[in-house]
Amino acid sequence: MSLTSKTIQELHSLYRSKKTSVQDVVEASLKRIEETNYHLNSFSHICRESALAEAKKLDAAGMPENASMMWGIPVGVKDNMCIKGLPATCGSKILKNYISPYDGAMGVCLKKAGSVVMGSCHMDEFAMGSSCENNAFVKVKNPYDLERVPGGSSGGSAAAVASSQVIVSLGSDTGGSIRQPASFCGVVGLKPTYGLVSRFGLVAFASSLDQIGPFARCVEDAAFLLQSIAGHDKKDSTSYDYTPPDYSKDLKNDIKGIKIGLPKEYFTDGIPADILTCIDKAKKVFCDLGAELVEISLPHTQYAIATYYILATAEASANLARFDGVRYGYRNKEAATLKELYIRSRSEGFGPEVKRRIITGTFVLSSGYYDAYYLKGQKVRTLVKQDFDQAFRKADVILTPTSPCTAFQFGEKIDDPISMYLSDIFTVSVNLAGLPGISLPCGTDDKKLPVGLQLIGPSLGEARLLNAAYQFEKVCPPLGIELKV
Amino acid sequence: MNTDFEPVIGLEVHVQLNTKTKIFCGCSTKFGLLPNTSICPVCLGYPGVLPVMNEEVVRSAVKVCLMMDFMINTYSRMDRKNYFYPDLPKGYQISQFDNPIGVKGKLSIDTDEGKKEIGITRIHIEEDAGKLIHGDGVSYVDFNRTGVPLLEIVSEPDIRSSKEAYLYLKKLKQILEYTKISDCNMEEGSLRCDANVSIRPKGQAQFGTKTEIKNLNSFKFVQKALDYEIERQMNVLKEGGTISQETRLFDSGTGKTKTMRSKEEAHDYHYFPEPDLLPIMVSEGMIKEATFSLPEKPDDKCARFEKQYGLPAYDASVLTADPSTADYYEECAKFCSNYKMISNWMMGEWLRELNERSVSAVDSPVLAKDLAGLLNMIENGKISGKIAKEIFPEMVKTGKTAEQIVQEKGLTVISDTGAIETMIKEVLGKNEKSVQDYKNGKKGVLGFLIGQVMKASKGKADPKKVNELMEKILS
Ligand SMILES: [Zn+2]
């Protein structure tokens, strides 16, 4: 087994016993990335030199006695994360060649832990999309089927982990952008509670929904990566003043008596039978683990998608206003007037989906329409939150499919934005409510594609969520499918 | 049409706060730095950055609220005001829309008809934009000012003349200066004003259509612009026209206002709550703390000066016009008990020196203690008032005390009887005719003879003593 297929725990032991150097692992990771990226397009930028330099530095200094589990671990980051000296293009022409002049919180955390950033991973432009097809440069491919999408928007980060280019990676999740690609690529993806991980340095899509989280091939690795980025950051006013628990400590606890809620609104006719079969098996696994299944209701589920697309696009329309060609990024050079500079730079710099959302967001905030859309959206958001509050009185964890579909073929949905939006149906409510959600592989569909299981926890309930996921993972049989790279 | 018209005016004032750092980042707010030297990724709106509220800004806003009797919203919120302009790096300004930090404030102005209360609709917190610099076919942006904290103070349409507008602004500036939260310097742009004005027939309750005037860089310009605009609107109506709602720009060169944009071109700012910041909670503790640190209000101080120092109302109002002048006065009064004399001197010699140097009381070249020292020497008869007026500019120039200057120049009053008698005898010897006239009953020459003695003493002889001895010798 290659070094990059190992778990964090395994690498940690190898480092501790000095059987492997960070340089070995980083070189293995670089090799794997460079061999496979041509097929996958998961990486938009590979930091060969800085990663090797960092590895040498770590080896020279030696592993500290109290080293973080993330010490010496190669990590991929989504292309919307600002790490000093690294490009952050957000999959957009408007930020092509843009290099961040500062370190975001995730950069600071990874450096502090001694992790090695291997490069940035491709994504849907400005995190808008569910397939990575909205990328201005390439098509990221699903490592299990190169004809299919990896999911999105953090598709590159998911594919990189699934294909063992890196050990773990970071993605961002606004409406499902970590969990859905995790499900499509057969890996673990966690969206933390809103406010648990600092957003400082994450290029904003929808500020009140965005959250950074880990991709990993096992739950424990996800816990380790989460540990290194979670906690209060005074540079993000919306981050919780909260000291996170040790996420890996209680993973092995049994989950006897845990109540698993099944929202009746989620289990409707819309889910394909093969996906449902996987979910039913997962339910049974939990029962065998001693969990109790309870039916719950999330009555406002049907409004979640509309609410999400109103609020997220409204915030995005303002967040993306800064890309105006004045200070950085793409600028049309022929523009003769200021207005022309704005119009042409933005028209040429942004892709169609981003424009669609900016226009939608601008519309819902227009005077005269604000109350009917944005304000109403905020009210429904409160109702969605209350639904979950009610549900968590009956259940400890909520179980749903991650996505109503598995990885689809390129072009299958790109011309039908509504059907693309609907594929977020099981994930967006979690963002609206600010809750943690994790997706983990629970089998394959009829096409031998990974199916994802979503577990949702109450606010700041990551430890419990990871515990349940870990217990499930331990007894769930492997996917039994092969990578195409 | 012969109806009498009445103007209705409301003012929007932007005040730059004098916090050390900007509202959402750690950059300095210092004025006059080289362009783009006080900037960082946060105030430049780089991708991924987030604002963090400078608590000092909220504290300053609370203080101003308390000084002008605002109702403080214990829960207020920042909003995004969206528009594109090169001096606005994020493409939106973080401001407050429907939940400002304070509402329903007021202040009173002294009009010719007596005190008048002007209502203040709201006060809110926002960030300043950068500055465009235009040159040879290219425009540059200086982002040093971007993110400097501002308070916007919006008055009710309670103002009825350009004079009242001027008085309102003066009063507002005075209160802000007292609160010490702003430099209130119009040249440096730390105080800026827009005016809304309409006219209506006297007695009509309904407002006319208003225009907004921008680019008013001094109180004088505000008055001028309003005078022009009121007259313009009146002429339009008299000629049977209608006023169109629009934004007009004041040209200080011509003294005229001209259309900048019509109502149809007005922006839709797409306001919505700023998701990157938590709501502003003003706790009771914060209000208490602010109340505790609040200065005496200018009107209260003025009244106290009248009472405590027995000053005429006019003196009290001049001396309390700005807090540093008032402080200077009170410092003097600690050392010299002739309060009226201090007032006379400060409003005369002292203020003249300050104006000549265009400095404020804090930068007075003569310390309050030293001015008091000078005045005490007059009080104690050590020098005459005339000599004191010669000494004062010397104090300004050299920074020396009156005592030092008097000593160095030997300017102490001669009150030694023998010395004065000698001088008198000398003068009388030279003016025998006058002495004769005096003895013949022409008492008027006495003044002339005393004057001669004073001249001979170079002004140093104690005039009271000269008078006394002269009469004695001549009788
Ligand atoms: Zn700054």
Side-chain angles (χ1 to χ4, degrees), chain A residues 98 102 199 201 319 327-328 342 367, chain B residues 44-48 80 89 268:
Chain A
Y98 173 79
Y102 73 96
R199 291 184 294 117
N319 282 331
R327 282 145 299 125
Y328 48 75
Y342 285 148
S367 69
Chain B
L44 283 180
Y46 266 59
R80 290 186 183 178
D268 177 355

Side-chain angles (χ1 to χ4, degrees), chain B residues 171-184:
Chain B
K171 191 53 173 281
L172 185 66
K173 182 173 181 234
Q174 185 189 33
I175 294 172
L176 295 170
E177 278 175 343
Y178 263 70
T179 322
K180 296 192 164 63
I181 48 92
S182 171
D183 301 335
C184 292

Side-chain angles (χ1 to χ4, degrees), chain A residues 82 95 98 101-102 194 199-203 207-208 234-238 314-315 318-319 321-324 326-328 338 342 346 362 365-367 370 374, chain B residues 41-42 44-53 77 80 82 84-92 98 141 143 268-278:
Chain A
C82 296
L95 280 179
Y98 173 79
Y102 73 96
Y194 182 80
R199 291 184 294 117
F200 185 76
L202 173 70
V203 181
S207 315
S208 74
K234 61 182 193 314
K235 286 184 176 167
D236 176 359
S237 311
T238 64
E315 291 179 15
N319 282 331
R322 69 191 64 200
F323 305 108
D324 56 6
V326 173
R327 282 145 299 125
Y328 48 75
L338 179 62
Y342 285 148
R346 287 168 67 81
T362 307
L365 289 173
S366 306
S367 69
Y370 181 87
Y374 185 82
Chain B
V42 175
L44 283 180
Y46 266 59
V49 297
L50 296 171
V52 176
M53 178 60 84
R77 207 179 55 199
R80 290 186 183 178
N82 297 284
F84 285 97
Y85 207 62
D87 66 4
L88 191 69
K90 296 187 295 294
Y92 55 86
D98 47 7
V141 199
F143 290 106
D268 177 355
Y269 290 115
H270 300 101
Y271 279 104
F272 74 101
E274 168 56 271
D276 286 333
L277 289 167
L278 300 179

Side-chain angles (χ1 to χ4, degrees), chain A residues 396-462:
Chain A
D396 299 307
V397 168
I398 294 170
L399 184 154
T400 79
T402 305
S403 168
C405 60
T406 53
F408 45 86
Q409 283 176 321
F410 289 105
E412 207 179 310
K413 295 193 178 185
I414 196 74
D415 296 324
D416 185 359
I418 299 295
S419 113
M420 192 78 101
Y421 293 176
L422 284 175
S423 66
D424 298 336
I425 189 135
F426 300 135
T427 47
V428 291
S429 298
V430 175
N431 297 77
L432 289 173
L435 301 175
I438 189 168
S439 175
L440 55 160
C442 67
T444 53
D445 69 353
D446 293 347
K447 297 184 226 56
K448 291 284 161 206
L449 294 167
V451 173
L453 167 77
Q454 176 176 237
L455 298 177
I456 304 164
S459 185
L460 297 173
E462 278 79 2

Side-chain angles (χ1 to χ4, degrees), chain B residues 25 27 39-40 43:
Chain B
C25 64
C27 292
I39 51 171
C40 73
C43 55

